[in-house]
Amino acid sequence: MAKKLRWTDVHDIAIELEEARPDVDIVNLRFTDLWKWVQELPDFDDDPNKSNEKILEAIQAAWIEERG
């Protein structure tokens, strides 16, 4: 069984987002979209209200690095 992802699992989330959405313009994405996409990941299981702009920025940065 896969480990359930939480908002703090920034790098693991970035890897899964890259696999799920390889064509997204991650530099110019809206955080509202990113927030929604993270929750749509099959392994994600955390309170939607525990996210914030700092976490979303960290996920975006990790995703850019992952794609790099």
Side-chain angles (χ1 to χ4, degrees):
M1 185 170 102
K3 174 184 157 243
K4 292 297 183 185
L5 295 174
R6 304 187 73 74
W7 286 111
T8 51
D9 298 319
V10 170
H11 292 290
D12 294 330
I13 288 171
I15 291 167
E16 290 206 14
L17 285 169
E18 179 62 17
E19 290 174 2
R21 299 180 180 274
D23 300 324
V24 167
D25 177 0
I26 48 180
V27 174
N28 298 305
L29 60 77
R30 293 189 310 236
F31 281 166
T32 52
D33 290 336
L34 180 57
W35 182 79
K36 184 178 74 170
W37 296 338
V38 169
Q39 293 173 76
E40 291 172 353
L41 293 172
D43 295 333
F44 185 77
D45 185 26
D46 202 355
D47 183 345
N49 297 319
K50 287 187 177 177
S51 87
N52 58 43
E53 191 170 337
K54 184 176 178 182
I55 290 172
L56 293 172
E57 286 173 351
I59 292 169
Q60 180 187 29
W63 192 357
I64 291 169
E65 185 178 305
E66 178 64 27
R67 184 171 290 177

